[in-house]
C-alpha cells in the first residue's frame, strides 16, 4: 500500500512538474507572440507613418526636403543656424544635415484645440547611406511642437529629446515619433527639429498628421488659396496727397488718375480672360459719379499729420483742406477724379470693391475719431453706388504700425473682418491667414481681425512711400510664390497699383509679369489644386470652416460613421475632409458626398456625385447644411483606423 502511494505521489509530482513546464512554455510562447505582434504593430505603424509621406495626410510642407538650389536649405522650412540638404549620393533620398546648435522649422500648420497631432521622422548621426566606422561626436536631436495662437504668438510647446545613433535606414532605432494634444488657444503648429548635441544630425522623412479626420482650410480638394488685389485710387487718392510731392501738382495727380483707370480696365480684361474675381481697394472718389453738388466729406478736414513729421516732403497739406482740389464735375468731364462708372463695371464683372479709406488716410498718424468719420463717408458713398457692405480693408501707405485696439474697433464696428497692406514689420507669415495684434503688457494680443499677407508683384508706384518696404517680387519669384502656397497648404495674395499696369511702354515688364503669374495661377486652379477668390471670400471661408467639427465612430451593428457638425448658421460649399485612411465607399442621405482623386502629380479632381472614384483619401461635401450631417463610410483593405 505504501509502495502504491509512493508511486502515486511520484506520478503526481511528475504531472505537476510537466504542468508547470507546460504553463511556463505557454507563457513564454504567449509572451513571444505578444512581443512579435507588438513588433509587427510597431513596424506596421512605422511603415504607415512613412509610406504616404507625400500624401495629403502629411501636413508638413516639403517632407522630401527638396532644395531649390543644390546643397542649400530645404524649401518651405525656416532655418536658424546652418541646415543644408545633403544630396551627395546620386539617387539616394534627401536628408537635412543640421549642424550643432541649429534648427529647422516647418511652415505653419492649421490645428484645432483638443485634437491629437503626431510627428515622426528618421534621424542619424552620419549619412545613413554612407556610414563609416569612424568615431562620431555625441549627437542629440529634439522635436518641438510649437503651438501658436491666431496672431502666431506662442501658446506653449512640447519637446521630445533623444540620442542619435548610427542606424540602418528604416531601422527602429532611427525612427522617432510622438503625439501631443493641441492646447486651448492653439490654431497653428510648427514642427521644429533641433540639433542639441555636439555632432551633426541628419534628418529624413518628417511628418505631422492628425489622429482623426482633418478639415482642410481650402474648399473642393484644393491645397492653397490666392487672391489678387489692388490699391485703386482716383487722382483724389495717394496721387494728389503724395508724400513725395515737393510742389503741389494737380496735373501730375490727374495723370496718375488716368493711368489708374487704364490699368484697372486692363485688369478687368485680363481677369475676364481667365474667369478670375479680384479685390479692388478703392478710395472714396472711386465710388462717385461726380460732385457737382459740392458735397464736403469728413468735416472738410485739414489733417495735422500730413506733413514732414510723417514723411511728407512738403508741408502743403498742413495749410490746405484735404479735398480742396475737387474739380466739382462728373466722371465724363473729369475721368481722372471720379471712378463711379468703373466701380459699376467692376461690380458687374463680379469683383470685390472694398475700402482703402475714403481720403487715403495715413492711419497711424490719424486718431480713431478721424478714421471713424472717414470710414463712415466711405460706407455712405458705397451704399449709394450699390457696393455690398465690405468685410476687408487695405491700409494706405501700409500705415498700420503702432496702432492701438481702438483703431481696430473702429474697423470691426463697421463690418471689417480682415485687413491687408499692413506694415512690413508687423507681418508674421507671408503664407498664413493670421490675425493682427497690438502690444499689451509686453505681449502681442490678437485684435480678432485677420490679416491677408501680400506680395507686391512688379515695381512700386513712384508715390509708394512707406509701402516700398513691402515684399516686392519679380515674375520668377511670383511663380515660386504659387508653388510655395501649394506646398504649404497656404494662403496669400498678389497686389499692385493699377497705374503700374497702364498700357504704356515703361510698364510693359510689369504687365508681362502679371500676365504670366495670373495665367499660371489660373492653370493651377484648372488643375484643381488652387483656389482663387477675392480676399473677402477667402477670409470668410477659412473663418467658417474652423466652426466645422468632425467625429469618427464605429457602431457594432452599422459600421463606421462620420458625424460632421456645422456650427455656422449658413450652408458651406466644398468642405473637404482628409481621412486617416483610404475609403472604399461613402454615402449620406444628408449631403452630396464627392471624392477627390489625383490622376497625376499635378492634377486634383473632384468626382461627380454619380461617379465617385474609390479608393479615396479625401471627401468633399458639396453643400454642408448647418447642424449635424452623418456619412457612412467603408474602408479599403488594410486602411481601417487602429487608433
Amino acid at each position: 500500500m505504501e509502495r502504491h502511494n509512493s508511486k502515486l505521489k511520484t506520478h503526481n509530482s511528475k504531472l505537476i512538474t510537466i504542468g508547470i513546464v507546460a504553463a511556463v512554455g505557454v507563457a513564454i510562447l504567449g509572451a513571444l507572440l505578444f512581443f512579435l505582434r507588438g513588433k509587427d504593430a510597431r513596424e506596421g505603424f512605422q511603415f504607415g507613418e512613412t509610406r504616404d509621406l507625400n500624401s495629403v495626410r502629411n501636413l508638413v510642407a516639403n517632407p522630401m526636403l527638396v532644395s531649390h538650389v543644390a546643397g542649400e536649405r530645404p524649401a518651405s522650412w525656416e532655418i536658424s543656424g546652418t541646415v543644408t540638404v545633403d544630396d551627395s549620393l546620386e539617387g539616394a533620398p534627401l536628408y537635412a544635415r543640421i549642424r550643432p546648435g541649429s534648427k529647422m522649422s516647418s511652415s505653419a500648420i492649421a490645428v484645432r484645440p483638443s485634437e491629437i497631432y503626431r510627428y515622426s521622422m528618421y534621424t542619424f548621426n552620419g549619412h545613413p547611406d554612407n556610414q563609416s566606422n569612424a568615431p562620431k561626436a555625441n549627437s542629440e536631436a529634439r522635436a518641438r511642437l510649437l503651438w501658436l495662437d491666431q496672431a502666431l504668438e506662442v501658446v506653449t510647446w512640447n519637446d521630445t529629446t533623444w540620442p542619435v545613433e548610427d542606424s540602418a535606414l528604416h531601422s527602429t532605432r532611427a525612427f522617432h515619433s510622438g503625439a501631443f494634444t493641441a492646447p486651448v488657444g492653439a490654431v497653428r503648429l510648427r514642427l521644429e527639429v533641433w540639433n542639441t548635441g555636439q555632432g551633426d544630425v541628419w534628418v529624413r522623412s518628417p511628418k505631422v498628421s492628425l489622429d482623426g479626420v482633418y478639415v482642410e482650410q481650402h474648399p473642393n480638394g484644393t491645397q492653397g488659396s490666392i487672391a489678387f488685389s489692388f490699391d485703386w485710387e482716383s487722382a483724389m487718392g495717394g496721387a494728389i496727397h503724395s508724400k513725395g510731392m515737393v510742389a503741389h501738382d494737380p496735373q501730375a495727380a490727374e495723370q496718375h488718375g488716368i493711368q489708374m483707370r487704364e490699368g484697372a480696365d486692363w485688369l478687368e480684361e485680363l481677369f475676364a480672360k481667365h474667369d478670375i474675381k479680384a479685390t479692388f481697394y478703392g478710395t472714396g472718389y472711386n465710388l462717385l459719379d461726380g460732385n457737382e453738388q459740392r458735397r464736403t466729406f469728413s468735416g472738410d478736414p485739414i489733417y495735422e499729420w500730413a506733413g514732414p513729421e510723417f514723411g511728407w516732403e512738403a508741408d502743403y497739406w498742413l495749410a490746405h483742406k484735404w479735398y480742396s482740389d475737387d474739380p466739382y464735375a462728373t466722371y465724363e468731364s473729369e475721368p481722372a477724379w471720379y471712378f463711379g462708372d468703373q466701380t459699376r463695371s467692376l461690380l458687374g464683372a463680379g469683383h470685390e470693391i472694398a475700402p482703402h479709406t475714403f481720403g487715403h488716410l495715413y492711419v497711424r498718424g490719424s486718431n480713431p475719431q478721424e478714421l471713424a468719420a472717414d470710414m463712415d463717408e466711405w460706407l455712405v458713398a458705397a451704399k449709394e453706388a450699390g457696393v455690398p457692405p465690405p468685410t476687408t480693408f487695405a491700409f494706405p501707405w501700409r500705415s498700420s504700425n503702432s496702432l492701438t485696439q481702438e483703431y481696430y474697433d473702429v474697423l470691426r464696428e463697421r463690418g471689417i473682418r480682415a485687413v491687408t497692406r499692413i506694415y512690413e514689420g508687423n507681418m508674421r507669415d507671408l503664407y498664413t491667414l493670421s490675425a493682427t495684434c497690438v502690444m499689451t503688457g509686453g505681449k502681442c494680443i490678437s485684435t480678432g481681425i485677420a490679416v491677408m499677407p501680400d506680395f507686391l508683384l512688379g515695381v512700386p508706384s513712384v508715390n509708394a512711400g512707406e509701402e516700398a518696404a513691402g515684399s516686392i517680387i519679380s515674375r520668377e519669384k511670383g511663380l515660386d510664390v504659387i508653388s510655395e502656397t501649394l506646398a504649404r497648404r497656404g494662403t496669400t495674395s498678389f497686389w499692385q497699383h493699377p497705374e503700374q499696369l497702364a498700357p504704356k511702354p515703361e510698364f510693359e515688364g510689369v504687365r508681362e509679369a502679371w500676365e504670366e503669374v495670373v495665367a499660371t495661377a489660373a492653370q493651377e486652379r484648372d488643375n484643381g489644386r488652387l483656389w482663387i477668390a477675392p480676399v473677402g471670400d477667402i477670409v470668410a471661408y477659412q473663418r467658417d470652416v474652423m466652426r466645422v467639427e468632425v467625429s469618427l465612430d464605429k457602431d457594432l451593428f452599422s459600421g463606421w460613421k462620420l458625424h460632421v457638425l456645422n456650427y455656422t448658421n449658413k450652408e458651406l460649399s466644398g468642405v473637404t475632409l482628409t481621412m486617416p485612411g483610404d475609403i472604399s465607399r461613402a454615402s449620406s442621405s444628408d449631403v452630396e458626398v464627392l471624392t477627390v482623386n489625383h490622376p497625376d502629380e499635378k492634377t486634383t479632381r473632384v468626382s461627380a456625385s454619380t461617379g465617385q472614384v474609390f479608393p479615396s483619401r479625401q471627401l468633399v461635401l458639396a453643400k454642408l447644411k448647418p447642424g449635424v450631417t452623418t456619412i457612412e463610410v467603408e474602408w479599403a483593405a488594410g486602411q481601417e483606423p487602429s487608433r
Side-chain angles (χ1 to χ4, degrees):
M1 186 71 170
E2 290 179 5
R3 203 171 178 188
H4 175 74
N5 289 339
S6 176
K7 286 183 178 180
L8 184 60
K9 287 179 181 178
T10 301
H11 178 70
N12 289 340
S13 177
K14 288 180 178 178
L15 289 176
I16 292 171
T17 301
I18 292 170
I20 292 173
V21 171
V24 170
V26 170
I28 292 173
L29 180 61
L32 179 61
L33 290 173
F34 181 79
F35 171 78
L36 292 175
R37 191 181 306 117
K39 183 173 183 293
D40 288 344
R42 288 192 299 274
E43 290 178 350
F45 162 70
Q46 177 179 336
F47 176 73
E49 283 294 286
T50 56
R51 71 175 173 81
D52 56 353
L53 199 64
N54 268 332
S55 82
V56 290
R57 188 168 181 243
N58 188 1
L59 304 178
V60 169
N62 188 20
M64 305 305 290
L65 304 176
V66 175
S67 174
H68 291 316
V69 179
E72 293 193 359
R73 68 174 183 83
S76 308
W77 292 79
E78 300 294 328
I79 302 302
S80 175
T82 304
V83 179
T84 57
V85 172
D86 192 323
D87 57 356
S88 57
L89 295 181
E90 188 175 350
L94 298 180
Y95 303 86
R97 185 179 188 178
I98 308 177
R99 300 290 185 174
S102 302
K103 69 173 179 179
M104 51 190 287
S105 304
S106 74
S107 56
I109 297 167
V111 298
R112 296 165 185 256
S114 302
E115 293 189 333
I116 299 173
Y117 295 85
R118 185 177 301 275
Y119 79 87
S120 64
M121 70 189 74
Y122 289 94
T123 57
F124 313 87
N125 67 358
H127 196 298
D129 292 322
N130 191 23
Q131 292 279 359
S132 70
N133 295 323
K136 298 181 177 66
N138 293 331
S139 296
E140 184 180 73
R142 173 184 298 157
R144 171 170 290 178
L145 271 63
L146 198 65
W147 306 102
L148 309 173
D149 66 12
Q150 287 182 323
L152 303 183
E153 289 283 300
V154 176
V155 176
T156 187
W157 63 83
N158 297 109
D159 281 353
T160 304
T161 304
W162 63 90
V164 180
E165 312 170 55
D166 285 343
S167 303
L169 186 61
H170 296 307
S171 76
T172 302
R173 286 186 301 154
F175 183 73
H176 292 273
S177 70
F180 296 96
T181 301
V184 173
V187 297
R188 299 283 173 182
L189 161 68
R190 291 189 193 276
L191 171 64
E192 296 186 340
V193 187
W194 298 58
N195 181 346
T196 54
Q198 299 173 355
D200 291 350
V201 171
W202 277 256
V203 174
R204 183 183 178 225
S205 306
K207 181 178 180 180
V208 171
S209 56
L210 169 68
D211 278 7
V213 179
Y214 189 78
V215 183
E216 296 286 346
Q217 295 287 290
H218 316 286
N220 296 311
T222 53
Q223 290 129 54
S225 300
I226 283 179
F228 295 102
S229 68
F230 305 91
D231 289 2
W232 165 61
E233 309 151 21
S234 79
M236 192 65 87
I240 195 65
H241 302 120
S242 170
K243 294 173 72 175
M245 191 180 291
V246 177
H248 187 61
D249 192 348
Q251 288 186 335
E254 285 190 6
Q255 180 182 355
H256 286 294
I258 291 298
Q259 288 179 188
M260 283 281 192
R261 255 190 184 275
E262 293 173 344
D265 285 341
W266 183 84
L267 284 166
E268 188 173 349
E269 292 179 6
L270 175 66
F271 290 137
K273 175 182 176 182
H274 294 287
D275 191 23
I276 288 174
K277 312 306 178 190
T279 299
F280 288 82
Y281 289 108
T283 46
Y285 276 58
N286 291 51
L287 307 172
L288 304 179
D289 283 335
N291 190 20
E292 292 178 303
Q293 306 89 345
R294 294 179 173 262
R295 292 164 59 183
T296 59
F297 305 101
S298 303
D300 209 11
I302 294 176
Y303 290 125
E304 63 182 24
W305 41 260
E309 179 185 357
F310 287 106
W312 268 261
E313 290 289 328
D315 58 5
Y316 178 87
W317 291 111
L318 297 180
H320 294 83
K321 292 181 178 180
W322 199 245
Y323 302 106
S324 57
D325 289 291
D326 189 335
Y328 304 118
T330 67
Y331 71 82
E332 289 96 343
S333 60
E334 298 287 350
W337 294 88
Y338 315 103
F339 287 3
D341 58 320
Q342 195 168 59
T343 291
R344 285 189 293 276
S345 179
L346 292 170
L347 278 176
H351 299 294
E352 177 184 24
I353 306 295
H356 193 41
T357 71
F358 189 92
H360 206 262
L361 255 61
Y362 190 69
V363 180
R364 69 181 291 253
S366 69
N367 58 51
Q369 292 73 34
E370 288 174 337
L371 178 61
D374 176 277
M375 284 294 294
D376 287 342
E377 290 287 9
W378 197 98
L379 293 171
V380 168
K383 186 175 182 179
E384 292 173 349
V387 175
T391 60
T392 71
F393 170 90
F395 283 101
W397 290 299
R398 289 196 184 271
S399 55
S400 69
N401 48 327
S402 307
L403 297 186
T404 61
Q405 183 65 47
E406 287 79 6
Y407 290 88
Y408 290 102
D409 289 343
V410 167
L411 297 176
R412 174 169 281 280
E413 289 163 4
R414 287 154 182 80
I416 300 302
R417 296 296 178 263
V419 296
T420 192
R421 313 291 184 268
I422 70 168
Y423 181 63
E424 184 74 2
N426 298 148
M427 183 68 71
R428 301 296 186 88
D429 192 314
L430 287 166
Y431 295 93
T432 300
L433 191 67
S434 56
T436 52
C437 64
V438 294
M439 294 303 297
T440 305
K443 184 177 174 65
C444 207
I445 305 299
S446 171
T447 65
I449 290 183
V451 54
M452 172 64 81
D454 56 34
F455 289 91
L456 175 60
L457 178 60
V459 294
S461 165
V462 295
N463 295 312
E466 192 171 291
E467 73 226 17
S471 298
I472 304 171
I473 59 173
S474 64
R475 175 190 63 83
E476 293 79 9
K477 177 61 177 176
L479 300 178
D480 288 342
V481 166
I482 296 173
S483 298
E484 276 290 284
T485 301
L486 293 171
R488 297 178 184 223
R489 278 182 163 99
T491 300
T492 197
S493 65
F494 294 99
W495 80 281
Q496 188 46 276
H497 286 101
E499 69 172 321
Q500 299 298 101
L501 299 164
K504 296 186 178 302
E506 60 265 36
F507 302 138
E508 183 178 354
V510 183
R511 285 195 303 276
E512 288 177 352
W514 272 86
E515 285 175 330
E516 185 165 356
V517 168
V518 168
T520 300
Q523 183 60 60
E524 291 290 8
R525 177 205 56 198
D526 295 343
N527 288 342
R529 289 161 28 101
L530 182 67
W531 184 35
I532 304 174
V535 175
D537 289 355
I538 293 174
V539 172
Y541 183 85
Q542 292 195 21
R543 180 190 64 232
D544 291 339
V545 83
M546 288 301 292
R547 299 189 64 198
V548 174
E549 295 182 2
V550 182
S551 62
L552 181 59
D553 304 308
K554 184 178 183 180
D555 186 274
L556 183 61
F557 301 103
S558 57
W560 288 88
K561 290 185 179 180
L562 279 174
H563 302 289
V564 186
L565 288 80
N566 176 4
Y567 286 106
T568 72
N569 59 1
K570 58 185 176 182
E571 188 176 77
L572 303 179
S573 299
V575 173
T576 303
L577 309 178
T578 296
M579 308 296 288
D582 293 337
I583 59 174
S584 61
R585 187 186 70 85
S587 62
S588 174
S589 59
D590 299 328
V591 66
E592 182 182 12
V593 181
L594 313 176
T595 59
V596 178
N597 66 94
H598 305 277
D600 55 62
E601 184 182 352
K602 294 293 187 180
T603 307
T604 297
R605 286 287 175 258
V606 178
S607 71
S609 58
T610 55
Q612 296 162 307
V613 178
F614 292 106
S616 180
R617 181 61 63 93
Q618 289 184 310
L619 300 180
V620 171
L621 310 183
K623 302 286 184 182
L624 180 64
K625 64 185 180 183
V628 181
T629 292
T630 300
I631 303 169
E632 297 180 355
V633 298
E634 294 178 3
W635 302 97
Q639 294 291 304
E640 183 171 319
S642 59
R643 62 178 193 273

